[in-house]
Every structure is written in C-alpha cells, then in structure tokens.
Amino acid sequence: MKRAIYPGSFDPITLGHEDLIKRAAATVDELIVAVLVNPAKNPLFSVDERVKMIKEVTGKIPNVRVESFDGLLADFARKENAQFIVRGLRMVTDFESEMQMAQTNHVLNENIDTIFFVTSLKYSYLSSTTVRETAAFGGDYSKFVSPEVYAWVERRMRDLKS
Ligand code: PNS
C-alpha cells in the first residue's frame, strides 16, 4: 500500500493545491491531505474549517483522506504508516526551503521520501496568501479557488467587516 501525505497550511486551499491533490492521488493508493495545526500563525480559517473545506472539494476523489496534525510531520507520517510526503514546487525560489524540509524529514524518519510535483503552469503564481490578500482588498479571486472555497472566503470577509 503506497500511502502519501500532502501537508500544508491550506489557508485556504487553492486551485493549485487541488490540482496537485488530483495528480498525487492518481499516483498512490492513499493520499492524506494533512492540515498543520500551527498556533504561531494567525489564520483566516480555523483548522476545523480548513479540514471541512478540503473535504468539500476533494470529496469525489475516493483515495483522499483529510486530517489535521500537530508536532512533527515525520512523526505524523510514522503514525499514519506513510512512506511519502508530497509537495509542490512552483518556482525555483521554493526549491531551497523544500530541499531543506525534505532532508530534515528524511533524517527524522528514514522511511520517508519526499516526492515533488512541478506545479501546473497556470497555477505557478498562486498561493493562499495571494487569495487572502486579493480577497481582503476587494479584488477578483474567483480564478484562484473553487466555487465552494470562494463561498467560504466571501462569508469570512463579510463577517470580518461586520
Ligand atoms: O503550506 P505550508 O505552510 O508551506 O506547509 C508547511 C508545512 C506544514 C509542510 C511545514 O511547516 C511542516 O511540515 N510543519 C510541521 C513541523 C515539522 O515537521 N518541522 C520539521 C520539518 S521542516
């Protein structure tokens, strides 16, 4: 059983993330999308909201499971019996930190290998930060996220303004 973890903040999940999830799910038996519980960050959405949102947009992919984790990713991978971590590379600027993370995770858990997917060209500019900033300043971010996620972000922006 080939099991991979796709970890991230997903605040919120973008079309770039969704594209990677589809491609990664097609290469392994099970893909766990894992939302990091990171108390140091001040997120737009709670971890529970992000898990719910990801479940909404990945519900049709049978071999995708959505979880949250805290602590070390290497420990979560051990607990889940996963052999792979999946990450996307958008630009060359991602490379340095991703290499460091992959090597650290391999030292912390030698059963783990990181698989990199090159982000599809049409999403290579995209990040959750882009979505949050565009939405906060009233720009059109409908091309950045799926309709379900768009509704979540619209609601949150309305709540923040009221
Ligand atoms: O979407 P992000 O914010 O780029 O994801 C970063 C993430 C969640 C993959 C990374 O911060 C992580 O794995 N954190 C867990 C803590 C950990 O395992 N650190 C050691 C490896 S660098």
Side-chain angles (χ1 to χ4, degrees), residues 64-76:
V64 169
R65 176 150 63 90
V66 189
E67 303 285 352
S68 60
F69 76 104
D70 56 12
L72 289 175
L73 178 57
D75 291 338
F76 180 68

Side-chain angles (χ1 to χ4, degrees), residues 7-11 17 34-36 38 41 69-75 85 87 90 97-98 100-102 104-105 108 128:
S9 304
F10 304 108
D11 186 35
H17 293 131
V35 181
L36 173 69
N38 186 354
K41 280 195 177 178
F69 76 104
D70 56 12
L72 289 175
L73 178 57
D75 291 338
I85 289 169
R87 293 286 287 173
R90 286 166 303 187
S97 57
E98 291 296 336
Q100 195 180 21
M101 207 152 74
T104 307
N105 284 326
L108 293 173
S128 298

Side-chain angles (χ1 to χ4, degrees), residues 11-13 17 23-25 27 31 44 57 69 73 84 92 99 104-105 113 117 133 147 151 161-162:
D11 186 35
I13 182 167
H17 293 131
R23 291 159 63 201
T27 67
L31 181 71
L44 184 60
V57 294
F69 76 104
L73 178 57
F84 304 105
V92 70
M99 276 283 285
T104 307
N105 284 326
D113 275 307
F117 280 78
E133 283 186 6
K161 275 181 198 142
S162 63

Side-chain angles (χ1 to χ4, degrees), residues 73-91:
L73 178 57
D75 291 338
F76 180 68
R78 202 172 281 120
K79 186 184 128 223
E80 291 288 350
N81 239 322
Q83 308 94 322
F84 304 105
I85 289 169
V86 164
R87 293 286 287 173
L89 286 176
R90 286 166 303 187
M91 310 269 179

Side-chain angles (χ1 to χ4, degrees), residues 101-137:
M101 207 152 74
Q103 286 167 340
T104 307
N105 284 326
H106 188 73
V107 172
L108 293 173
N109 178 349
E110 62 183 15
N111 297 317
I112 277 287
D113 275 307
T114 300
I115 302 175
F116 291 110
F117 280 78
V118 174
T119 302
S120 300
L121 194 57
K122 60 180 174 176
Y123 300 128
S124 61
Y125 65 92
L126 194 50
S127 69
S128 298
T129 308
T130 312
V131 176
R132 291 195 306 272
E133 283 186 6
T134 308
F137 292 112

